[in-house]
Amino acid sequence: MKCKTVNKKLTAYFNRELSNTENVEIEKHLNICNSCAAIYENLKNTYELSDKIPRLEPNPFLYTRIKSKLEEYEKQKNKYRTYPGILQPVFISLMLIIAVLSGIKLGSLDKINSDKSLYVSHTTEYYFNDLAQENAEVLLLND
Amino acid sequence: MTDEQLIEGILKNDETSFKTLVDKYQASVLNICYGFVRNAQNAEDITQEVFIEVYLSAGKFRKESKISTWLYRIAVNKSLNFIRDNKKRNLIKNIENFFLSEQKNEIQIADENENNFEEDYETRLKILYKAIDSLSENQKTAFTLGKIEKLSYAEISEIMNISLASVEGLIHRAKKNIQKKILKNYQKNKDKNRKF
């Protein structure tokens, strides 16, 4: 077996997924080829570390830190909750009053606007009439 | 105190119950987070966030599953979110570095140092972590939970909310991919040595 073929089958060999004959051939090759044997040893030793991954020791102050973060969170929460019983209804009723008043105001504006629109329509008529009269002026100018 | 009693205690604002829960699970949660983020400080920060969420949402805990399953699920989700955010941050950093020639040189030097291969424990661990980190999110989660916390396939399937067969498939593919990555690393190293 060539090095290239052995290298391709090394993971299968490591997981014992090959046939007996293939196993024997690879073993033979590993016995005579130092570089392939070294690669196989490295693969084996490195992968086997996954069963011995070092564990971290928890910080003895972890609980104290969590507790202080929770207290901070509660403080923040309470900040936004100052007088929630009084402020909320006052704010809502204020908004309602503003909404009603602005509605009335908008309604009265519409009346004024309707008068103005009449005026505007008259002025346009004037313009129209002006244009009609303009013919005579244009005639004079042409002369 | 059973886990259910601990949750009931937390719901009643009992500090001792919460402390007992933290003491019981802090090591497991910390190591799961570390298995994802590979940085002790970040892992501790995420662990704190996990327990804060547990305290604030203890009422949402469904008693059908184990408390550890719920805790580990929160830990996995928070760790994955951290990695996603970190990737975005790194992308911006890389773009910045692209325009800074000095920093670019530093990176090149670091890469050269990495090529000076030493077969010690730390190097092997680095190669293994690199291979695990190259896995997809699902494969990494299944593999990390199985290897670090030695959780059963049933527990992993409950945490990840997938079937047992899917867990088996994920762990099998993860194993294969890790081995391929490790092998590639050593083969590359062999080719480099040949050139010199």
Side-chain angles (χ1 to χ4, degrees), chain A residues 15 17 46-47 51 56 65, chain B residues 31 44 175-176 179 186:
Chain A
N15 293 319
E17 291 167 346
T46 308
Y47 183 74
D51 287 318
L56 282 185
R65 283 178 188 171
Chain B
N31 280 292
E44 200 191 300
K175 240 171 93 174
K176 285 265 170 194
Q179 287 169 3
Y186 287 113

Side-chain angles (χ1 to χ4, degrees), chain A residues 25-43:
Chain A
E25 275 182 64
I26 288 178
E27 255 169 47
K28 268 185 196 170
H29 181 87
L30 294 180
N31 282 332
I32 53 165
C33 177
N34 284 338
S35 66
C36 285
I39 288 175
Y40 178 71
E41 276 304 304
N42 281 328
L43 166 71

Side-chain angles (χ1 to χ4, degrees), chain B residues 156-182:
Chain B
I156 298 171
S157 79
E158 218 182 316
I159 292 168
M160 293 180 75
N161 216 6
I162 51 173
S163 68
L164 260 177
S166 305
V167 175
E168 275 175 16
L170 281 174
I171 292 182
H172 180 75
R173 285 199 296 278
K175 240 171 93 174
K176 285 265 170 194
N177 287 335
I178 291 169
Q179 287 169 3
K180 270 184 202 164
K181 281 268 169 189
I182 296 170

Side-chain angles (χ1 to χ4, degrees), chain A:
Chain A
M1 242 187 206
K2 283 181 181 173
C3 288
K4 209 178 173 184
T5 328
V6 171
N7 273 312
K8 270 184 191 170
K9 289 180 178 178
L10 272 183
T11 53
Y13 174 74
F14 176 63
N15 293 319
R16 297 172 200 283
E17 291 167 346
L18 296 174
S19 65
N20 277 341
T21 40
E22 277 178 311
N23 267 335
V24 172
E25 275 182 64
I26 288 178
E27 255 169 47
K28 268 185 196 170
H29 181 87
L30 294 180
N31 282 332
I32 53 165
C33 177
N34 284 338
S35 66
C36 285
I39 288 175
Y40 178 71
E41 276 304 304
N42 281 328
L43 166 71
K44 195 176 152 226
N45 293 335
T46 308
Y47 183 74
E48 278 173 359
L49 272 184
S50 64
D51 287 318
K52 303 164 207 158
I53 288 176
R55 285 178 71 83
L56 282 185
E57 278 302 312
N59 189 324
F61 302 108
L62 187 75
Y63 179 74
T64 327
R65 283 178 188 171
I66 293 168
K67 204 67 203 141
S68 68
K69 270 195 179 177
L70 268 171
E71 277 163 11
E72 227 171 81
Y73 175 82
E74 290 292 330
K75 261 186 210 168
Q76 285 270 319
K77 222 168 114 186
N78 288 335
K79 219 185 202 178
Y80 297 110
R81 275 188 179 175
T82 335
Y83 310 119
I86 311 160
L87 276 181
Q88 209 176 4
V90 167
F91 179 74
I92 291 169
S93 45
L94 253 174
M95 291 307 285
L96 270 171
I97 292 165
I98 290 168
V100 170
L101 283 177
S102 53
I104 293 166
K105 192 79 184 165
L106 279 171
S108 59
L109 270 178
D110 193 45
K111 270 186 189 173
I112 299 161
N113 280 346
S114 63
D115 291 344
K116 268 185 187 171
S117 66
L118 244 174
Y119 175 73
V120 171
S121 73
H122 279 302
T123 49
T124 24
E125 272 173 41
Y126 272 120
Y127 273 120
F128 185 71
N129 288 338
D130 275 355
L131 280 169
Q133 285 169 357
E134 230 174 72
N135 279 338
E137 284 169 20
V138 173
L139 273 171
L140 284 169
L141 276 169
N142 284 340
D143 286 341

